[in-house]
Amino acid sequence: MKNIFLSIVVAIGFFFLSNMFFNTQHSTLIALIVLFVILWTNEALPIGVVSLLPIVLFPAFGILDIKSATTNYSNTTIFLFMGGFMIAIATQKINLHKYISNKLLTIFPNTPRGMIFSLSITAALLSSVLSNSTTALLLLPIAIFLTEDLKFKARLALAIAYGCSIGGIVTPIGTPPNLILLGFMQQHSIEPIAFIQWMFLTGPLALLMLIVIPFILSLGLGDVVLDKEIKAKEVLLPKQKRLLFILLGLVITLLVNSKIEPYYSGLGLDETAILLSFGLLMFVPKIGFIEWEDAKNIPYEIIFLFGAGFTIAAAFSKTGLANEVANYMLSLTDLPVILLILIIASMITFTTEITSNTALISIALPIIYSLGQVANINMTLILMVATICASYAFMLPIATPPNAIAMSSGAVKVKQMASFGFFINILAILMVTVVALVYWQYFL
């Protein structure tokens, strides 16, 4: 109760502070968002419960009507995510992810630097299709097992956490902010980014990060040695082979369906329907691998969190608060494009450190959309920059779930994460800016 009371007090304080710059409705919306973010952060209530509060509080305070609020909880992007979860549950149930992990861990040399690269890349690859949290929880015991050296153990834990964040941007289903962007684009009739196109855009950035970040983490380890050795002795089972073929079929379907303008128009199928169909295929007897009882493993609280994010974004747009905030930022539109992107990337990256990246990107996208309309800049480009930077926060445990999981292991101290993370944040901002201007702007 204490945390709930404090959350309400802080939210009321923000209402009066905001009232100095915004009207009553806008100030009320800001206060409610602050309330949600604090409750998400201090876990005074379950995430799923807090995520359903907009349905009750937005109509009660005249922000949105009940129909407008609830509609966002059935956004098509949510069903894309559900399809991905079903496939992830099947992958975990038959231990295909462990087989892949162990195979990947044998590719690199059995040295401190080799293991850091191995764990980072493994985490990145798995988190591109599984949730970041699942991947971090899977790999962290391996890192703790490998050595008794505290310094090396901390580096391995950070390698997993950072690898999860790096890889989460590679696919639209890799991390929640990606899906929120796709839902936002759909709401505003912006040309969507196809699954394969997304991977084509984000792959080079993730590759750069996977070269630089593990190298930084491996500096200064000296003569540290591994106490254990990972060996991939498992044989691929028939069920695992069948799932691999199904996943290959999914990839081929997505490839064939993707548009390559002006040369190829694709199949014209909805990617949400494709992914949900393959997810439902996991339940078919003698083809799939899971039963309805396994559906309880779908993180419905995260799905509600998506709904809350879409509802917050809709409230920002419908009440005009996004335009108001954008008006305060109008001076930025006179800056060169490179400086504008640098500022957006920096603001999102460092703000994410102290709040949920899902909540932040839900708030930021409407503001950046309004700013982009005034600045007459490539809208998809700046929305993409903001979304990627929401996942590329490496300083504090609260920034991303993988960071929090790494900290919960006891292997990493806040000071260690902050010292590495600040420097890596700066590198990430610069890399995203360069890739956006040199590469993305020609394909978006």
Side-chain angles (χ1 to χ4, degrees):
M1 285 299 296
K2 180 181 177 181
N3 284 339
I4 296 177
F5 177 75
L6 288 175
S7 302
I8 295 173
V9 170
V10 173
I12 292 173
F14 266 86
F15 170 79
F16 288 109
L17 181 64
S18 302
N19 219 22
M20 298 169 60
F21 306 96
F22 302 99
N23 63 36
T24 301
Q25 185 188 45
H26 292 167
S27 300
T28 302
L29 176 55
I30 291 170
L32 289 174
I33 292 171
V34 169
L35 176 65
F36 301 151
V37 170
I38 295 175
L39 289 174
W40 275 322
T41 303
N42 65 18
E43 298 181 347
L45 291 170
I47 290 176
V49 172
V50 179
S51 300
L52 290 172
L53 287 179
I55 297 177
V56 178
L57 296 181
F58 280 1
F61 286 92
I63 304 298
L64 291 176
D65 59 69
I66 189 74
K67 184 178 180 180
S68 298
T70 54
T71 299
N72 294 287
Y73 288 79
S74 59
N75 188 290
T76 56
T77 306
I78 289 174
F79 293 96
L80 174 79
F81 197 52
M82 284 188 70
F85 265 133
M86 292 171 185
I87 295 172
I89 290 170
T91 302
Q92 293 172 60
K93 186 173 181 179
I94 65 173
N95 289 323
L96 179 61
H97 60 313
K98 290 185 179 179
Y99 175 86
I100 295 172
S101 298
N102 285 334
K103 282 294 184 183
L104 287 170
L105 285 169
T106 61
I107 295 175
F108 288 86
N110 189 31
T111 63
R113 177 164 290 172
M115 283 297 99
I116 287 175
F117 268 92
S118 182
L119 285 170
S120 295
I121 293 171
T122 301
L125 290 174
L126 288 177
S127 65
S128 67
V129 291
L130 300 176
S131 77
N132 290 353
S133 301
T134 299
T135 302
L137 289 168
L138 163 69
L139 294 179
L140 200 60
I142 298 175
I144 303 302
F145 168 80
L146 285 174
T147 183
E148 297 301 324
D149 185 283
L150 296 179
K151 183 179 180 181
F152 186 29
K153 189 177 291 189
R155 303 290 183 90
L156 292 175
L158 288 174
I160 292 171
Y162 294 167
C164 288
S165 296
I166 292 169
I169 66 144
V170 174
T171 65
I173 61 173
T175 189
N178 300 356
L179 292 163
I180 291 174
L181 171 62
L182 294 180
F184 182 86
M185 294 174 72
Q186 182 188 48
Q187 287 177 334
H188 291 78
S189 301
I190 301 174
E191 180 70 24
I193 303 173
F195 201 102
I196 300 302
Q197 182 189 10
W198 183 290
M199 296 178 65
F200 179 73
L201 291 169
T202 57
L205 173 62
L207 181 60
L208 282 173
M209 294 286 285
L210 285 173
I211 292 172
V212 175
I213 307 309
F215 179 80
I216 293 173
L217 289 175
S218 65
L219 295 174
L221 288 177
D223 299 325
V224 172
V225 296
L226 274 71
D227 301 317
K228 308 289 190 306
E229 184 177 355
I230 295 295
K231 295 180 180 179
K233 298 179 180 179
E234 292 87 348
V235 177
L236 198 62
L237 301 175
K239 280 187 175 182
Q240 294 171 331
K241 289 181 181 179
R242 187 164 78 247
L243 181 53
L244 277 177
F245 279 119
I246 292 173
L247 292 177
L248 180 62
L250 172 60
V251 172
I252 292 173
T253 303
L254 291 170
L255 280 169
V256 174
N257 188 62
S258 296
K259 291 189 294 184
I260 306 176
E261 299 290 358
Y263 308 105
Y264 177 62
S265 59
L267 298 178
L269 301 175
D270 190 283
E271 288 194 343
T272 298
I274 292 174
L275 202 60
L276 184 58
S277 297
F278 273 85
L280 295 174
L281 189 63
M282 298 297 102
F283 292 94
V284 177
K286 297 184 179 181
I287 296 178
F289 312 89
I290 58 179
E291 300 175 350
W292 184 246
E293 288 73 20
D294 295 309
K296 66 184 180 182
N297 294 320
I298 294 176
Y300 293 103
E301 70 274 11
I302 301 301
I303 290 173
F304 292 151
L305 182 61
F306 284 148
F310 293 139
T311 305
I312 290 171
F316 251 76
S317 297
K318 190 169 183 179
T319 61
L321 180 56
N323 289 331
E324 284 296 309
V325 175
N327 286 335
Y328 281 111
M329 300 173 65
L330 278 178
S331 59
L332 297 179
T333 61
D334 296 327
L335 298 174
V337 173
I338 184 172
L339 288 181
L340 180 61
I341 291 178
L342 270 173
I343 290 171
I344 290 173
S346 301
M347 289 175 60
I348 296 295
T349 297
F350 285 102
T351 305
T352 304
E353 294 290 355
I354 56 173
T355 187
S356 157
N357 60 359
T358 302
L360 173 67
I361 204 63
S362 300
I363 298 167
L365 288 181
I367 296 172
I368 293 171
Y369 177 79
S370 298
L371 189 66
Q373 289 180 312
V374 176
N376 195 27
I377 191 175
N378 187 321
M379 184 68 70
T380 306
L381 178 69
I382 59 172
L383 291 175
M384 189 78 171
V385 167
T387 302
I388 298 304
C389 287
S391 294
Y392 276 11
F394 303 96
M395 275 183 63
L396 299 175
I398 195 175
T400 64
N403 285 9
I405 291 169
M407 187 67 62
S408 69
S409 70
V412 184
K413 305 299 181 186
V414 175
K415 184 177 180 180
Q416 291 173 307
M417 183 177 286
S419 59
F420 277 107
F422 178 79
F423 182 63
I424 293 173
N425 274 3
I426 300 299
L427 286 177
I429 290 167
L430 294 175
M431 286 185 188
V432 170
T433 301
V434 170
V435 170
L437 293 175
V438 174
Y439 180 54
W440 291 351
Q441 71 171 337
Y442 296 107
F443 298 97
L444 291 174

